[in-house]
Amino acid sequence: MTKFFKQIHRVWFLFWILFFFILFYPVYYLTSRKQKYYGILNYFRKVNSFFPSLFSGVFFSYHFDEKLDSHQTYIYCSNHTSNLDIMIFCIMAHGKYHFMGKNELLESWVLKLFFTTIDVAVDRESRISAFKAFKKAGDNLESGMSLIIFPEGKIDDHYPPKLGEFKNGPFRLAIDKKIPIVPVSIANIWQIWWDDAATYGSKPGICDIYIHKPIDTSVLTPDDADVLKEQVYKLIDSKLI
């Protein structure tokens, strides 16, 4: 597929994302006001992710090591190579869940609504911001909201991307709150949606997502955080292309 058609496909994809966002905006606004409505908000985020990908010929193939408990609160840790990673989790996750993402997402007029309400924005260069963000995420976990986080903290700008160094926060939080961690490997989305200027665009295709068996943290102590981080890193890296 030529660069021109990749650009056309990307515009087509973005059109449907924005179409459904505008269509659902009244629902998003109302359901983002109170936490008890977050399950409804996430249902519409799922729809807002499913149909644009369907209409664009981008399909997500989920491979589970074992079936996840829909009533269990999890911390999902995934590699991060594309802006479509958020859509992958909106389709996969159930019920009440929230994302933690970089502070720059507050500048997006689409994502700002979410990252000032249900989701958590963090300035990773500020210890105070990071502390407040993980405090809020911890409170959300205790209330039964799963957390979706990309421990690399950014999208790798090399192609093919390599798994970057993980931040410590998610693993300390999982141990502190006794929440199981679910490592997730997003194998090839970077081949479908490019984020660098040199290969700007997107194309139809199938993205493989591997959901590893949850890791129990109930018996771990803060001293085990580095071992847990290394375990999650190796699991995610094992399925990457």
Side-chain angles (χ1 to χ4, degrees):
M1 183 178 286
T2 66
K3 185 175 180 179
F4 172 76
F5 285 107
K6 290 176 184 177
Q7 293 173 336
I8 294 297
H9 184 267
R10 182 176 182 275
V11 171
W12 174 256
F13 205 150
L14 287 173
F15 166 78
W16 285 112
I17 292 173
L18 293 175
F19 173 83
F20 282 101
F21 175 78
I22 294 170
L23 180 66
F24 296 153
Y25 185 84
V27 178
Y28 286 145
Y29 181 82
L30 292 174
T31 56
S32 66
R33 301 303 97 184
K34 293 185 178 181
Q35 191 177 113
K36 66 179 180 179
Y37 300 128
Y38 283 174
I40 299 173
L41 185 154
N42 283 334
Y43 173 80
F44 280 90
R45 288 210 282 193
K46 185 187 296 287
V47 175
N48 204 153
S49 300
F50 176 79
F51 282 106
S53 61
L54 176 66
F55 295 160
S56 303
V58 175
F59 301 97
F60 304 126
S61 179
Y62 297 95
H63 310 274
F64 290 84
D65 278 354
E66 67 175 38
K67 184 177 180 180
L68 299 181
D69 183 352
S70 60
H71 301 291
Q72 172 67 49
T73 303
Y74 294 110
I75 295 179
Y76 297 92
C77 283
S78 172
N79 61 307
H80 197 16
T81 60
S82 169
N83 289 321
L84 295 188
D85 295 345
I86 292 177
M87 297 179 66
I88 286 171
F89 280 98
C90 285
I91 294 173
M92 185 188 84
H94 298 285
K96 293 183 179 181
Y97 61 84
H98 67 301
F99 290 88
M100 180 179 286
K102 59 186 179 180
N103 217 41
E104 289 86 341
L105 295 173
L106 294 172
E107 300 173 5
S108 168
W109 67 273
V110 173
L111 297 177
K112 182 177 181 179
L113 172 66
F114 305 123
F115 277 93
T116 54
T117 55
I118 182 173
D119 297 329
V120 180
V122 56
D123 179 359
R124 298 186 184 276
E125 303 302 318
S126 168
R127 289 186 178 182
I128 294 176
S129 174
F131 174 81
K132 291 181 177 179
F134 278 97
K135 173 65 168 61
K136 182 178 179 181
D139 292 342
N140 288 340
L141 287 166
E142 289 182 350
S143 70
M145 289 180 64
S146 292
L147 173 64
I148 299 167
I149 191 168
F150 305 102
E152 293 169 279
K154 63 179 181 178
I155 294 177
D156 186 12
D157 56 3
H158 297 90
Y159 286 81
K162 294 182 179 179
L163 193 60
E165 183 180 354
F166 284 1
K167 307 295 183 182
N168 295 322
F171 310 100
R172 293 175 178 172
L173 183 64
I175 292 172
D176 179 52
K177 301 299 180 182
K178 305 302 180 185
I179 302 292
I181 281 188
V182 180
V184 178
S185 304
I186 301 176
N188 56 343
I189 191 66
W190 62 272
Q191 295 175 324
I192 294 170
W193 180 286
W194 293 266
D195 295 303
D196 68 324
T199 48
Y200 202 56
S202 62
K203 68 175 184 178
I206 299 174
C207 175
D208 292 302
I209 302 101
Y210 298 90
I211 300 89
H212 302 273
K213 183 179 178 180
I215 301 173
D216 180 24
T217 63
S218 62
V219 297
L220 301 182
T221 69
D223 292 337
D224 298 315
D226 286 340
V227 175
L228 176 62
K229 179 173 69 172
E230 182 67 18
Q231 181 183 3
V232 172
Y233 186 99
K234 288 182 178 179
L235 282 170
I236 293 175
D237 195 45
S238 68
K239 293 294 185 178
L240 301 186
I241 298 175

